[in-house]
Amino acid sequence: CDVTKILFIVPDENLIPFAKEVLRTNHPQIEVASAVYEESIKLIQNRQSRGLEVVAARPGTAAAIRDAHLNIPVVEIPRTSFDIIRALDEAKSYGDKFAFIAHSEKIWGVELFTEMMEINLRQYTVSFKKDFEKEILAAQAKGAEVILGGFSVAKTAKRLGIPCVLIKLGKESLLQAAREAKQICEAIEIEAAKRGVFGTVLDYSYD
């Protein structure tokens, strides 16, 4: 698969250099751009005419892309347990009761490492387009001292004056999404080649 046909969308332009550096060794031609939610729609439409085949994005933006019915496969750039552990390590300086808030995204195995790290962490999932503010305030009311989440969650918590830690984009997440995107791209190209052969056979049979 020609990886120029794959676009990674990250939520903050400051993440672009990091993402490119991580992808550079094995996926140097994957394009990386920044946008959140509906902002990504025009970005994708502009590139579809130039041969874009697969998009990768964080869960909230991925949901917005799917809702737009752009007829393009969407890979979610996941949050891994490694990302959560790194964020928790940073968050421990603010308190010891944490709330992880994200778009319909449950991190499996959290109970295990929260036990190991002896911390109190509750997960909250929010459906796309739902107000983060309400969930953040609800988590705080239930005793959360520090909010953990992605770009939009951290931005909202800061506005509310609630301690928060941004769960940063991890190397493992990017590489996992890159492998999945490349597999999808290759499958699309194999299917297109099959259709091309079938079309040639049909043309020949009518000659």
Side-chain angles (χ1 to χ4, degrees), residues 25 33 60 83 98-100 105 122 130-131 133 140 142 145 150 157 191:
T25 303
D83 301 332
F98 312 104
F100 166 56
E105 180 191 15
R122 293 185 67 172
K130 193 172 178 182
D131 188 7
E133 182 174 325
Q140 187 186 41
K142 289 178 182 176
E145 296 170 347
E191 194 58 36

Side-chain angles (χ1 to χ4, degrees), residues 88-98 119-120 144-146 163:
L88 282 169
D89 206 39
E90 182 182 344
K92 282 162 78 175
S93 61
Y94 297 103
D96 58 9
K97 292 180 181 175
F98 312 104
I119 55 171
N120 184 323
E145 296 170 347
V146 190

Side-chain angles (χ1 to χ4, degrees), residues 13 39 58 66-67 88 94-95 101 109 127 138 148 173 176 185:
E13 63 181 12
E39 291 173 7
R58 282 295 209 185
R66 292 191 188 102
D67 275 7
L88 282 169
Y94 297 103
I101 301 174
S127 59
L148 291 86
S173 303
Q176 182 179 323
C185 190

Side-chain angles (χ1 to χ4, degrees), residues 23-66:
L23 297 169
R24 187 165 58 92
T25 303
N26 295 316
H27 315 283
Q29 292 174 300
I30 286 181
E31 186 181 0
V32 183
S34 68
V36 289
Y37 308 134
E38 287 84 356
E39 291 173 7
S40 61
I41 308 306
K42 189 171 281 189
L43 197 67
I44 293 165
Q45 289 172 328
N46 289 340
R47 285 161 175 76
Q48 279 183 298
S49 60
R50 306 205 302 263
L52 180 66
E53 291 186 347
V54 184
V55 176
R58 282 295 209 185
T61 299
I65 296 166
R66 292 191 188 102

